[in-house]
Short mmCIF file of all heavy atoms in Angstrom, two decimals:
data_model
loop_
_atom_site.label_atom_id
_atom_site.label_comp_id
_atom_site.label_asym_id
_atom_site.label_seq_id
_atom_site.Cartn_x
_atom_site.Cartn_y
_atom_site.Cartn_z
N ALA A 482 13.11 28.83 -4.90
CA ALA A 482 13.12 30.16 -4.27
C ALA A 482 13.24 30.08 -2.74
O ALA A 482 13.27 31.11 -2.08
CB ALA A 482 11.86 30.92 -4.67
N GLY A 483 13.26 28.85 -2.19
CA GLY A 483 13.47 28.72 -0.74
C GLY A 483 12.21 28.43 0.05
O GLY A 483 12.23 28.42 1.28
N ASN A 484 11.09 28.23 -0.64
CA ASN A 484 9.85 27.87 0.06
C ASN A 484 9.82 26.37 0.32
O ASN A 484 10.61 25.60 -0.23
CB ASN A 484 8.63 28.21 -0.82
CG ASN A 484 8.59 29.65 -1.22
OD1 ASN A 484 8.17 30.51 -0.46
ND2 ASN A 484 9.08 29.95 -2.43
N THR A 485 8.85 25.94 1.14
CA THR A 485 8.58 24.52 1.29
C THR A 485 7.13 24.27 0.89
O THR A 485 6.35 25.22 0.76
CB THR A 485 8.84 24.05 2.73
OG1 THR A 485 8.06 24.87 3.62
CG2 THR A 485 10.31 24.16 3.08
N VAL A 486 6.76 23.01 0.67
CA VAL A 486 5.51 22.73 -0.04
C VAL A 486 4.69 21.63 0.63
O VAL A 486 5.24 20.65 1.12
CB VAL A 486 5.83 22.31 -1.50
CG1 VAL A 486 4.56 21.90 -2.25
CG2 VAL A 486 6.53 23.43 -2.25
N VAL A 487 3.37 21.82 0.61
CA VAL A 487 2.42 20.72 0.86
C VAL A 487 1.75 20.46 -0.49
O VAL A 487 1.06 21.34 -1.02
CB VAL A 487 1.38 21.08 1.93
CG1 VAL A 487 0.38 19.93 2.10
CG2 VAL A 487 2.06 21.39 3.26
N LEU A 488 1.99 19.28 -1.03
CA LEU A 488 1.53 18.96 -2.38
C LEU A 488 0.39 17.95 -2.32
O LEU A 488 0.49 16.94 -1.64
CB LEU A 488 2.72 18.36 -3.16
CG LEU A 488 2.47 17.63 -4.47
CD1 LEU A 488 1.90 18.58 -5.52
CD2 LEU A 488 3.78 17.03 -4.99
N LYS A 489 -0.67 18.25 -3.08
CA LYS A 489 -1.79 17.31 -3.16
C LYS A 489 -2.04 16.92 -4.61
O LYS A 489 -2.53 17.71 -5.41
CB LYS A 489 -3.06 17.96 -2.60
CG LYS A 489 -4.26 17.05 -2.70
CD LYS A 489 -5.53 17.87 -2.75
CE LYS A 489 -6.68 17.27 -3.47
NZ LYS A 489 -6.51 16.13 -4.31
N PRO A 490 -1.73 15.68 -4.97
CA PRO A 490 -2.09 15.22 -6.31
C PRO A 490 -3.59 14.99 -6.38
O PRO A 490 -4.26 14.91 -5.35
CB PRO A 490 -1.36 13.88 -6.45
CG PRO A 490 -0.66 13.62 -5.16
CD PRO A 490 -1.07 14.65 -4.16
N ALA A 491 -4.12 14.84 -7.59
CA ALA A 491 -5.53 14.45 -7.72
C ALA A 491 -5.70 13.08 -7.07
O ALA A 491 -4.78 12.26 -7.07
CB ALA A 491 -5.92 14.38 -9.19
N SER A 492 -6.89 12.82 -6.54
CA SER A 492 -7.06 11.58 -5.78
C SER A 492 -6.88 10.35 -6.66
O SER A 492 -6.49 9.30 -6.17
CB SER A 492 -8.40 11.56 -5.07
OG SER A 492 -9.41 11.83 -5.99
N THR A 493 -7.12 10.47 -7.97
CA THR A 493 -7.00 9.30 -8.85
C THR A 493 -5.58 9.10 -9.41
O THR A 493 -5.33 8.09 -10.05
CB THR A 493 -7.98 9.44 -10.03
OG1 THR A 493 -7.83 10.74 -10.58
CG2 THR A 493 -9.41 9.23 -9.57
N THR A 494 -4.67 10.07 -9.21
CA THR A 494 -3.32 9.93 -9.78
C THR A 494 -2.21 10.26 -8.76
O THR A 494 -1.35 11.11 -9.02
CB THR A 494 -3.14 10.85 -11.01
OG1 THR A 494 -3.53 12.19 -10.63
CG2 THR A 494 -3.94 10.40 -12.19
N PRO A 495 -2.21 9.59 -7.61
CA PRO A 495 -1.20 9.95 -6.60
C PRO A 495 0.13 9.21 -6.75
O PRO A 495 1.15 9.65 -6.25
CB PRO A 495 -1.87 9.50 -5.29
CG PRO A 495 -2.72 8.32 -5.68
CD PRO A 495 -3.19 8.60 -7.10
N LEU A 496 0.15 8.07 -7.46
CA LEU A 496 1.27 7.13 -7.32
C LEU A 496 2.54 7.60 -8.01
O LEU A 496 3.63 7.49 -7.45
CB LEU A 496 0.84 5.74 -7.85
CG LEU A 496 -0.40 5.17 -7.13
CD1 LEU A 496 -0.93 3.95 -7.86
CD2 LEU A 496 -0.08 4.85 -5.68
N SER A 497 2.41 8.14 -9.23
CA SER A 497 3.61 8.59 -9.93
C SER A 497 4.18 9.84 -9.23
O SER A 497 5.40 10.04 -9.22
CB SER A 497 3.30 8.89 -11.40
OG SER A 497 2.20 9.76 -11.50
N THR A 498 3.32 10.64 -8.64
CA THR A 498 3.79 11.83 -7.92
C THR A 498 4.61 11.40 -6.70
O THR A 498 5.70 11.92 -6.44
CB THR A 498 2.60 12.69 -7.45
OG1 THR A 498 1.78 12.96 -8.58
CG2 THR A 498 3.05 13.99 -6.82
N LEU A 499 4.07 10.41 -5.96
CA LEU A 499 4.83 9.90 -4.81
C LEU A 499 6.19 9.38 -5.27
O LEU A 499 7.20 9.64 -4.62
CB LEU A 499 4.05 8.75 -4.15
CG LEU A 499 2.79 9.15 -3.36
CD1 LEU A 499 2.00 7.90 -2.97
CD2 LEU A 499 3.16 9.96 -2.11
N ALA A 500 6.21 8.67 -6.40
CA ALA A 500 7.47 8.10 -6.89
C ALA A 500 8.47 9.22 -7.23
O ALA A 500 9.67 9.10 -6.95
CB ALA A 500 7.21 7.22 -8.11
N CYS A 501 8.00 10.29 -7.84
CA CYS A 501 8.90 11.40 -8.20
C CYS A 501 9.45 12.09 -6.95
O CYS A 501 10.64 12.40 -6.88
CB CYS A 501 8.17 12.44 -9.04
SG CYS A 501 7.89 11.93 -10.72
N ILE A 502 8.59 12.36 -5.98
CA ILE A 502 9.06 13.07 -4.77
C ILE A 502 10.01 12.16 -3.98
O ILE A 502 11.04 12.61 -3.48
CB ILE A 502 7.86 13.55 -3.90
CG1 ILE A 502 6.94 14.47 -4.72
CG2 ILE A 502 8.36 14.24 -2.63
CD1 ILE A 502 7.57 15.71 -5.28
N GLU A 503 9.66 10.88 -3.92
CA GLU A 503 10.55 9.92 -3.23
C GLU A 503 11.92 9.92 -3.91
O GLU A 503 12.96 9.91 -3.23
CB GLU A 503 9.90 8.54 -3.28
CG GLU A 503 10.36 7.56 -2.22
CD GLU A 503 10.04 8.00 -0.80
OE1 GLU A 503 8.90 7.83 -0.34
OE2 GLU A 503 10.97 8.50 -0.15
N ALA A 504 11.93 9.97 -5.25
CA ALA A 504 13.21 9.98 -5.97
C ALA A 504 14.00 11.26 -5.67
O ALA A 504 15.23 11.21 -5.53
CB ALA A 504 12.97 9.85 -7.47
N LEU A 505 13.32 12.39 -5.55
CA LEU A 505 14.03 13.63 -5.21
C LEU A 505 14.65 13.51 -3.81
O LEU A 505 15.79 13.94 -3.58
CB LEU A 505 13.06 14.83 -5.22
CG LEU A 505 12.50 15.29 -6.57
CD1 LEU A 505 11.59 16.50 -6.38
CD2 LEU A 505 13.62 15.64 -7.55
N ILE A 506 13.89 12.91 -2.89
CA ILE A 506 14.40 12.78 -1.51
C ILE A 506 15.60 11.82 -1.49
O ILE A 506 16.63 12.11 -0.89
CB ILE A 506 13.27 12.34 -0.55
CG1 ILE A 506 12.22 13.46 -0.43
CG2 ILE A 506 13.82 11.98 0.83
CD1 ILE A 506 10.94 13.09 0.29
N GLU A 507 15.47 10.71 -2.19
CA GLU A 507 16.63 9.78 -2.30
C GLU A 507 17.84 10.49 -2.89
O GLU A 507 18.97 10.19 -2.56
CB GLU A 507 16.29 8.65 -3.27
CG GLU A 507 15.56 7.49 -2.67
CD GLU A 507 15.11 6.52 -3.78
OE1 GLU A 507 15.72 6.52 -4.88
OE2 GLU A 507 14.14 5.82 -3.54
N GLY A 508 17.57 11.43 -3.79
CA GLY A 508 18.65 12.16 -4.46
C GLY A 508 19.19 13.31 -3.62
O GLY A 508 20.02 14.08 -4.11
N GLY A 509 18.67 13.49 -2.40
CA GLY A 509 19.26 14.48 -1.50
C GLY A 509 18.36 15.64 -1.10
O GLY A 509 18.78 16.51 -0.33
N LEU A 510 17.12 15.70 -1.61
CA LEU A 510 16.23 16.79 -1.16
C LEU A 510 15.90 16.53 0.32
O LEU A 510 15.42 15.44 0.65
CB LEU A 510 14.94 16.79 -1.99
CG LEU A 510 13.95 17.91 -1.64
CD1 LEU A 510 14.48 19.25 -2.14
CD2 LEU A 510 12.58 17.65 -2.25
N PRO A 511 16.11 17.50 1.20
CA PRO A 511 15.85 17.23 2.62
C PRO A 511 14.38 16.91 2.88
O PRO A 511 13.48 17.49 2.26
CB PRO A 511 16.23 18.56 3.29
CG PRO A 511 17.13 19.26 2.33
CD PRO A 511 16.69 18.83 0.97
N GLU A 512 14.15 15.96 3.81
CA GLU A 512 12.78 15.61 4.21
C GLU A 512 12.08 16.87 4.70
O GLU A 512 12.69 17.74 5.32
CB GLU A 512 12.82 14.59 5.36
CG GLU A 512 13.48 13.27 5.02
CD GLU A 512 12.53 12.27 4.39
OE1 GLU A 512 11.38 12.64 4.06
OE2 GLU A 512 12.95 11.10 4.23
N GLY A 513 10.79 16.98 4.43
CA GLY A 513 10.00 18.11 4.93
C GLY A 513 9.92 19.26 3.93
O GLY A 513 9.03 20.10 4.03
N VAL A 514 10.82 19.31 2.96
CA VAL A 514 10.78 20.42 1.99
C VAL A 514 9.56 20.24 1.06
O VAL A 514 8.85 21.20 0.75
CB VAL A 514 12.10 20.52 1.18
CG1 VAL A 514 11.98 21.53 0.06
CG2 VAL A 514 13.24 20.90 2.11
N VAL A 515 9.31 19.01 0.64
CA VAL A 515 8.07 18.72 -0.11
C VAL A 515 7.35 17.59 0.61
O VAL A 515 7.90 16.50 0.79
CB VAL A 515 8.35 18.32 -1.56
CG1 VAL A 515 7.03 18.05 -2.29
CG2 VAL A 515 9.14 19.38 -2.30
N ASN A 516 6.13 17.85 1.03
CA ASN A 516 5.30 16.85 1.71
C ASN A 516 4.11 16.54 0.82
O ASN A 516 3.54 17.45 0.20
CB ASN A 516 4.82 17.42 3.05
CG ASN A 516 6.00 17.89 3.89
OD1 ASN A 516 6.60 17.12 4.61
ND2 ASN A 516 6.34 19.17 3.77
N VAL A 517 3.74 15.26 0.76
CA VAL A 517 2.64 14.88 -0.13
C VAL A 517 1.49 14.32 0.68
O VAL A 517 1.66 13.35 1.43
CB VAL A 517 3.09 13.82 -1.16
CG1 VAL A 517 1.98 13.57 -2.18
CG2 VAL A 517 4.37 14.25 -1.86
N VAL A 518 0.32 14.96 0.55
CA VAL A 518 -0.89 14.44 1.22
C VAL A 518 -1.85 13.94 0.14
O VAL A 518 -1.91 14.49 -0.96
CB VAL A 518 -1.58 15.52 2.09
CG1 VAL A 518 -0.72 15.88 3.29
CG2 VAL A 518 -1.90 16.76 1.27
N LEU A 519 -2.60 12.91 0.49
CA LEU A 519 -3.49 12.29 -0.50
C LEU A 519 -4.93 12.34 -0.02
O LEU A 519 -5.20 12.41 1.17
CB LEU A 519 -3.09 10.83 -0.73
CG LEU A 519 -1.63 10.55 -1.08
CD1 LEU A 519 -1.41 9.06 -1.26
CD2 LEU A 519 -1.23 11.30 -2.33
N GLY A 520 -5.84 12.25 -1.00
CA GLY A 520 -7.25 12.15 -0.65
C GLY A 520 -8.03 13.39 -1.04
O GLY A 520 -7.51 14.50 -1.04
N GLN A 521 -9.28 13.16 -1.40
CA GLN A 521 -10.18 14.19 -1.90
C GLN A 521 -10.30 15.39 -0.95
O GLN A 521 -10.32 16.53 -1.37
CB GLN A 521 -11.56 13.54 -2.09
CG GLN A 521 -12.52 14.32 -2.96
CD GLN A 521 -12.07 14.29 -4.43
OE1 GLN A 521 -11.57 13.27 -4.90
NE2 GLN A 521 -12.22 15.39 -5.12
N ALA A 522 -10.34 15.09 0.37
CA ALA A 522 -10.66 16.15 1.34
C ALA A 522 -9.48 17.06 1.63
O ALA A 522 -9.65 18.09 2.29
CB ALA A 522 -11.13 15.49 2.64
N THR A 523 -8.30 16.71 1.14
CA THR A 523 -7.13 17.48 1.55
C THR A 523 -7.01 18.83 0.83
O THR A 523 -6.36 19.74 1.33
CB THR A 523 -5.83 16.66 1.35
OG1 THR A 523 -5.85 16.11 0.02
CG2 THR A 523 -5.73 15.52 2.35
N GLY A 524 -7.66 18.97 -0.34
CA GLY A 524 -7.55 20.23 -1.09
C GLY A 524 -8.08 21.40 -0.29
O GLY A 524 -7.38 22.40 -0.09
N ASP A 525 -9.30 21.27 0.19
CA ASP A 525 -9.89 22.37 0.95
C ASP A 525 -9.09 22.63 2.22
O ASP A 525 -8.90 23.78 2.62
CB ASP A 525 -11.36 22.05 1.27
CG ASP A 525 -12.01 23.21 2.00
OD1 ASP A 525 -12.10 24.30 1.40
OD2 ASP A 525 -12.39 23.04 3.18
N ALA A 526 -8.61 21.55 2.85
CA ALA A 526 -7.84 21.72 4.10
C ALA A 526 -6.54 22.49 3.84
O ALA A 526 -6.10 23.27 4.69
CB ALA A 526 -7.55 20.35 4.71
N ILE A 527 -5.94 22.29 2.68
CA ILE A 527 -4.72 23.05 2.34
C ILE A 527 -5.06 24.54 2.19
O ILE A 527 -4.39 25.41 2.74
CB ILE A 527 -4.08 22.51 1.03
CG1 ILE A 527 -3.45 21.14 1.30
CG2 ILE A 527 -3.07 23.48 0.45
CD1 ILE A 527 -2.89 20.46 0.05
#
Side-chain angles (χ1 to χ4, degrees):
N484 303 279
T485 55
V486 176
V487 177
L488 166 64
K489 178 206 152 347
S492 52
T493 49
T494 52
L496 302 169
S497 52
T498 307
L499 288 170
C501 286
I502 302 301
E503 202 63 80
L505 291 181
I506 293 170
E507 275 172 23
L510 183 72
E512 298 273 9
V514 172
V515 181
N516 305 274
V517 187
V518 292
L519 307 180
Q521 197 70 37
T523 49
D525 183 62
I527 288 175

